[in-house]
Amino acid sequence: MKKLFAIIAVVAMVLGLTACAPKETGPKTIKVGIAIYKFDDTFMTNYRNEMKAYFETKNSDTVKYEVEVTDGKNDQVAQTEQIDNFIAQDYDVLIINLVDLTAASTIIAKVKAANIPTVFINRQPSDADMATWDKITYVGAKAEDSGTYQGEIIVDLWEATDSKVDKNGDDKLQYVMLMGQAIHQDAALRTEYSIKAVEAAGIVVDKLFEDRGEWDRVKGQEKMATAITQFGDAIEVVFANNDDMALGAIEALVAAGMTDVPVVGVDATAPALDAIKNGTLKGTVLNDSDGQAHTSVDSAIKLLNGEAVDVLQWVPYVKVTPENYEDFIK
Ligand code: BGC
Ligand code: CA
């Protein structure tokens, strides 16, 4: 009996203590889940590092952002599982760089059901998908513009007084196009708008070779080597949908002794700016990963706070040439 009373007394004391325990102080923790399509991507690596760094600057006495970043390894099944885990663990907000845009509707249905505001980045879900919930937004850059700028860089080289671009003097531009992944809006739009800008300047184009380097430097080098085997000196210019493929193409051109062929890329990554400095890359277009990272993080915080954000948010591209490349070196 005595023992029982003792136990009851202890239990009562513990309960009492917990009830009276002072309210926890310190910052409120916000769990942020970031799903990247794959870590092995130069542009997205800069982007995710900047998001992490920028979230750090948002920590205060009242809030602490706990950021978890996952590698989708270019596999939508794996990425969907990572997103399911974020949802199961009650994350407060998500930032998603989809692997496969056709998964957008499924993913949006999941975050909506769990009421977790979500920022999509870099790979744009369709307008129809984006219209299905008001706590989602897309942050990106207008791919048309990056293509147009690439085309304009080539037009300027073609029109220069000492231009040697038209090697065979037939008044047509013989070109190679190295494209990014098929599911990505940037690949299709850069391919289309770069050529449109050349044609808009009254230049007749002659496509020699077009293939996918999938955004990858090694694949860009391989595809370019194939183009060189097939067309050799007939190649007058190379458009690459991004800098990694442009740098791969330059490797292939250097190996073939064809360093006179102008190459243009997109992104303005550090190695691309180096290549402009040493003259192997004729131009690129800033795909502002820092600016996009900041807009994404700011949007995530606004959505968390119940503030409205636009459905589509655009960060501008900037043309980068030997004249201004130094402005973009960090
Ligand atoms: C960038 C590429 C990158 C791709 C990833 C594009 O906007 O220009 O460099 O590989 O996004 O999705
Ligand atoms: Ca020609």
Side-chain angles (χ1 to χ4, degrees):
M1 205 49 169
K2 234 182 181 177
K3 219 175 170 186
L4 187 64
F5 276 128
I7 291 171
I8 290 170
V10 168
V11 170
M13 214 171 82
V14 170
L15 287 175
L17 273 182
T18 6
C20 301
K23 250 197 170 173
E24 244 186 72
T25 50
K28 179 177 175 217
T29 300
I30 303 283
K31 295 205 280 184
V32 181
I34 302 182
I36 299 295
Y37 95 98
K38 70 169 185 177
F39 278 5
D40 182 22
D41 178 291
T42 309
F43 173 78
M44 287 313 307
T45 298
N46 295 335
Y47 199 137
R48 78 185 141 96
N49 288 339
E50 187 59 29
M51 285 192 286
K52 278 197 327 206
Y54 192 60
F55 262 119
E56 291 275 330
T57 71
K58 300 285 171 184
N59 288 332
S60 69
D61 292 343
T62 51
V63 247
K64 162 125 185 46
Y65 293 98
E66 215 175 77
V67 182
E68 174 73 25
V69 190
T70 57
D71 180 359
K73 300 208 165 83
N74 203 29
D75 175 352
Q76 187 58 56
V77 176
Q79 186 183 61
T80 302
E81 228 165 76
Q82 292 162 352
I83 293 167
D84 286 339
N85 282 334
F86 284 143
I87 294 172
Q89 292 168 48
D90 284 330
Y91 271 64
D92 296 291
V93 67
L94 302 182
I95 298 180
I96 301 179
N97 170 215
L98 284 167
V99 175
D100 183 349
L101 282 169
T102 61
S105 55
T106 311
I107 302 293
I108 293 170
K110 283 173 188 277
V111 295
K112 184 179 177 185
N115 195 27
I116 305 175
T118 297
V119 180
F120 289 93
I121 58 169
N122 177 256
R123 292 163 178 231
Q124 187 185 352
S126 71
D127 290 346
D129 288 335
M130 292 305 294
T132 56
W133 196 31
D134 60 354
K135 287 185 193 166
I136 53 177
T137 180
Y138 172 73
V139 175
K142 288 222 162 106
E144 298 89 325
D145 293 347
S146 54
T148 302
Y149 292 154
Q150 284 189 297
E152 288 175 0
I153 292 168
I154 295 303
V155 169
D156 285 347
L157 291 175
W158 175 277
E159 288 176 346
T161 38
D162 57 346
S163 176
K164 297 186 187 73
V165 178
D166 187 15
K167 282 196 290 190
N168 65 354
D170 69 349
D171 244 350
K172 291 181 189 155
L173 180 67
Q174 275 77 26
Y175 74 92
V176 165
M177 181 69 70
L178 298 176
M179 302 182 294
Q181 290 178 314
I183 59 100
H184 203 307
Q185 78 283 342
D186 287 353
L189 292 168
R190 287 174 189 164
T191 298
E192 180 186 346
Y193 280 80
S194 55
I195 298 307
K196 271 195 178 158
V198 171
E199 289 175 330
I203 301 166
V204 177
V205 296
D206 179 5
K207 176 166 72 186
L208 296 182
F209 182 93
E210 180 177 83
D211 205 345
R212 295 198 184 277
E214 312 284 340
W215 303 123
D216 182 76
R217 181 166 178 157
V218 173
K219 290 202 181 91
Q221 181 269 324
E222 289 167 357
K223 297 298 179 189
M224 192 64 218
T226 305
I228 293 170
T229 308
Q230 289 178 19
F231 299 98
D233 265 339
I235 300 166
E236 293 180 337
V237 66
V238 178
F239 293 92
N241 286 171
N242 78 344
D243 284 344
D244 270 6
M245 294 188 292
L247 294 170
I250 288 169
E251 285 173 38
L253 288 166
V254 168
M258 291 172 61
T259 49
D260 56 330
V261 175
V263 179
V264 283
V266 176
D267 284 337
T269 60
L273 295 173
D274 270 353
I276 293 184
K277 183 178 182 179
N278 70 33
T280 52
L281 183 67
K282 288 295 175 280
T284 184
V285 179
L286 173 71
N287 189 4
D288 186 1
S289 49
D290 288 358
Q292 291 173 60
H294 295 182
T295 304
S296 307
V297 170
D298 288 337
S299 302
I301 294 173
K302 280 185 192 156
L303 287 173
L304 272 168
N305 295 337
E307 289 172 43
V309 292
D310 288 342
V311 183
L312 303 176
Q313 302 184 77
W314 304 114
V315 174
Y317 281 110
V318 186
K319 201 188 288 185
V320 183
T321 64
E323 284 70 53
N324 68 346
Y325 78 94
E326 279 168 310
D327 302 347
F328 303 92
I329 297 173
K330 286 186 200 157

